[in-house]
Amino acid sequence: MKISDILTKGRVTVSCELFPPKTGAALARVEDVLRDTAALGPDFISVTYGAGGSTSKRTLELAARLQDAYHVPALAHLTCVSSTREEVTQQVARLRAAGIGSILALRGDIPQDTSFPTPEHFRYASELIAHIRGLEGGEELCIGAACYPEGHVECPHFSTDLDHLKQKVDAGADFLTTQMFFDNDVLYRFLFRALDRGITVPIVAGIMPVTNVQQIRRSCQLSGSVMPPRLQGIADRFGDDPAAMRQAGIAYATEQILDLIAHGVEHIHIYTMNKPDVAAKIMDNLSDILRPHG
Ligand code: FAD
């Protein structure tokens, strides 16, 4: 089933995310991660694309396995920063042949030692989206794109970033998934401004459970996401105690999701980071809210 069909059913959805490990022990554990994440019963699972296309083959393999062995709809990420137009076309054909009908189309972060973009590259995700739509069978694909409630780190003006987001939707994006954010008011303001700009496709709220403070501080530095004082305080107090920080991160994410759903946000994406146990705790905390029985 295409992700766009899942997101237009008029109910709360929860999705999870996996990344293909590169080497070593994590690779050996990947089947457990697939099985345990699928067992949570998410509406779909997205599989990231390693920076610079480093895991493109494994993204496809994991997405296909999620669908074929665990019967969970998969969303395959695809970045174009390190692939030529021809390579992108081939990757889309491979995804389609493997039965993957939903793609999150991204530019990717520009590596420092690169001459990107050459005429062989797409410069922006909007160009990638238009290209995929124009391919034979492209109109049948579900295409998602990224959005940034605090603005993308390279774009000096939030309003200009929103113009670029509108270009992605006009190019054919069916839905958007947000960058992580830790202050729900940031998301509410963003949703208002996106709607005002005529962006009416479903927007999936990306929630990152903070269980490893160093890792999140690094990600925030790179992405420009802000840690509000309350989360800073929690990180300062519990950051050196892994068990306490895990519990605090789960509690914070649980509260964030509860508040989002109470305010009418329908689609929640948990950045599971190959930790199905963390997602399981959050989903258990909210079991009757995420899957109401009455
Ligand atoms: P774009 O939409 O192309 O935007 C990039 C920058 O260009 C922005 O500043 C934008 O304002 C600007 N811009 C866009 N159009 C124009 C224009 N016409 N003129 C001038 N400026 C323009 N990275 C990975 O490597 N692998 C992943 O799997 C992955 N998954 C992600 C999932 C989500 C939900 C999110 C939010 C991010 C993900 N990323 C991933 C990170 C992403 O690749 C980076 O944030 C990247 O820097 C931007 O990608 P984009 O698709 O948003 O780019």
Side-chain angles (χ1 to χ4, degrees):
M1 183 184 273
K2 291 199 288 191
I3 307 306
S4 44
D5 294 335
I6 296 170
L7 297 177
T8 46
K9 283 198 160 84
R11 61 171 177 82
V12 169
T13 68
V14 189
S15 48
C16 295
E17 181 158 306
L18 305 175
F19 62 86
K22 284 187 187 144
T23 49
L27 197 54
R29 215 178 62 85
V30 79
E31 190 65 34
D32 296 349
V33 172
L34 290 183
R35 186 198 55 228
D36 294 351
T37 311
L40 301 174
D43 289 281
F44 65 92
I45 299 179
S46 71
V47 185
T48 67
Y49 201 76
S54 53
T55 62
S56 62
K57 190 159 161 271
R58 295 207 57 84
T59 299
L60 187 153
E61 282 169 9
L62 297 194
R65 183 136 183 86
L66 280 170
Q67 295 199 151
D68 299 343
Y70 297 103
H71 312 294
V72 181
L75 170 65
H77 294 204
L78 171 64
T79 69
C80 60
V81 72
S82 58
S83 305
T84 62
R85 290 161 192 258
E86 185 48 36
E87 286 163 345
V88 164
T89 303
Q90 287 168 7
Q91 179 70 359
V92 173
R94 282 192 287 268
L95 288 167
R96 287 191 68 214
I100 312 293
S102 302
I103 297 174
L104 193 73
L106 303 141
R107 186 201 65 185
D109 288 324
I110 299 172
Q112 285 182 342
D113 55 348
T114 181
S115 54
F116 174 88
T118 72
E120 296 297 303
H121 288 89
F122 300 105
R123 284 170 307 162
Y124 303 112
S126 54
E127 296 177 352
L128 171 66
I129 293 165
H131 176 78
I132 297 173
R133 271 280 172 254
L135 293 172
E136 198 189 330
E139 73 285 352
E140 291 158 21
L141 288 169
C142 164
I143 305 177
C147 63
Y148 302 86
E150 291 165 276
H152 185 259
V153 70
E154 287 169 33
C155 194
H157 301 294
F158 185 79
S159 173
T160 314
D161 202 39
L162 269 184
D163 291 339
H164 298 151
L165 183 60
K166 181 74 166 64
Q167 283 171 9
K168 292 201 269 197
V169 176
D170 291 345
D174 294 307
F175 73 96
L176 304 169
T177 302
T178 75
Q179 176 63 282
M180 61 182 174
F181 58 91
F182 301 105
D183 176 352
N184 287 357
D185 286 344
V186 166
L187 182 82
Y188 300 140
R189 279 195 292 275
F190 169 74
L191 292 179
F192 179 80
R193 292 190 66 176
L195 198 57
D196 192 48
R197 206 52 77 94
I199 296 172
T200 55
V201 295
I203 297 183
V204 182
I207 296 297
M208 174 73 82
V210 178
T211 54
N212 179 328
V213 172
Q214 280 76 28
Q215 204 176 55
I216 294 296
R217 287 213 166 106
R218 260 197 317 278
S219 303
C220 285
Q221 255 173 6
L222 292 174
S223 69
S225 302
V226 174
M227 281 175 87
R230 198 168 88 83
L231 182 58
Q232 287 278 8
I234 291 171
D236 289 347
R237 175 73 178 82
F238 303 114
D240 295 334
D241 180 340
M245 191 59 229
R246 179 176 177 279
Q247 206 164 52
I250 288 167
Y252 194 94
T254 300
E255 274 184 38
Q256 250 195 299
I257 296 171
L258 175 60
D259 180 77
L260 289 171
I261 295 175
H263 283 86
V265 173
E266 278 191 326
H267 307 300
I268 307 292
H269 185 67
I270 306 178
Y271 285 112
T272 342
M273 305 291 285
N274 291 11
K275 292 179 189 154
D277 53 317
V278 170
K281 281 270 186 196
I282 295 169
M283 289 170 77
D284 192 43
N285 286 344
L286 296 167
S287 54
D288 290 329
I289 289 160
L290 298 176
R291 301 272 183 262
H293 303 288

